[in-house]
Amino acid sequence: MGKLFRFHNDVDTDQIIASQYLLFPTIDEMKTYTFESLDPDFSKKAKPGDFVVACENFGCGSSREQAPAVLKALGIKAVIAKSFARIFYRNAINIGLPVIVCKDLYDHVADQDEMELDLESGTIVSGGQTFTCTKLPAKMQSILDQGGLIASLNKED
């Protein structure tokens, strides 16, 4: 169970982590500025096991790999949206951050609501309602379980 942080349509990678912070040498230093233009206190409020919930086209804009990386570094358990920009989706899977398509959740939750995600069954429970999401194929779940595509490839013989 974690809290959700609700964001609008078309959240771009510059809103996730602004370009001026890409100069910092580590993701750990960058994560403090996650969503700074949308919610300056996000990195203080977000706790490991929390979720980001968004509407359409989450992660659009540039292909910066730091966008999903700062979310993962803050302990965000998953990003759930109606749809994702392809490059953000791929970058998230590459580093082991679950990205889940759920068409109905956004319209039935509020910022700071509590929710529970079951990746295996592809369901989310929040406010006494159960929502059906995209269930990840076994191979993709295995990749996430190993910490992402890169870690998965490094473990294969």
Side-chain angles (χ1 to χ4, degrees), residues 7-32:
F7 293 95
H8 52 75
N9 280 325
D10 303 314
V11 172
D12 67 43
T13 53
D14 201 48
Q15 291 171 309
I16 299 169
I17 185 69
S19 60
Q20 67 262 29
Y21 302 119
L22 302 179
L23 300 173
F24 291 146
T26 68
I27 293 297
D28 210 43
E29 291 171 272
M30 289 179 215
K31 73 182 182 185
T32 305

Side-chain angles (χ1 to χ4, degrees), residues 36-50:
E36 182 182 57
S37 67
L38 300 176
D39 181 353
D41 295 323
F42 176 80
S43 68
K44 293 180 188 109
K45 294 187 292 188
K47 304 289 181 238
D50 286 344

Side-chain angles (χ1 to χ4, degrees), residues 64 68 79 110 151-152:
R64 72 179 55 137
V79 179
S152 173

Side-chain angles (χ1 to χ4, degrees), residues 69-85:
V70 293
L71 294 171
K72 185 176 179 183
L74 285 171
I76 295 300
K77 186 172 181 177
V79 179
I80 301 98
K82 288 186 177 188
S83 67
F84 291 90

Side-chain angles (χ1 to χ4, degrees), residues 139-154:
K139 182 65 175 168
M140 187 177 288
Q141 185 61 54
S142 173
I143 289 169
L144 289 172
D145 291 344
Q146 294 177 65
L149 182 61
I150 305 305
S152 173
L153 292 172
N154 287 336

Side-chain angles (χ1 to χ4, degrees), residues 46-105:
K47 304 289 181 238
D50 286 344
F51 302 90
V52 167
V53 174
C55 201
E56 301 278 353
N57 200 28
F58 186 85
C60 60
S62 75
S63 61
R64 72 179 55 137
E65 296 170 356
Q66 296 89 343
V70 293
L71 294 171
K72 185 176 179 183
L74 285 171
I76 295 300
K77 186 172 181 177
V79 179
I80 301 98
K82 288 186 177 188
S83 67
F84 291 90
R86 282 186 318 197
I87 192 71
F88 179 89
Y89 189 90
R90 182 62 186 235
N91 284 339
I93 296 300
N94 283 350
I95 65 158
L97 175 67
V99 280
I100 308 298
V101 173
C102 189
K103 298 290 185 184
D104 298 321
L105 180 68

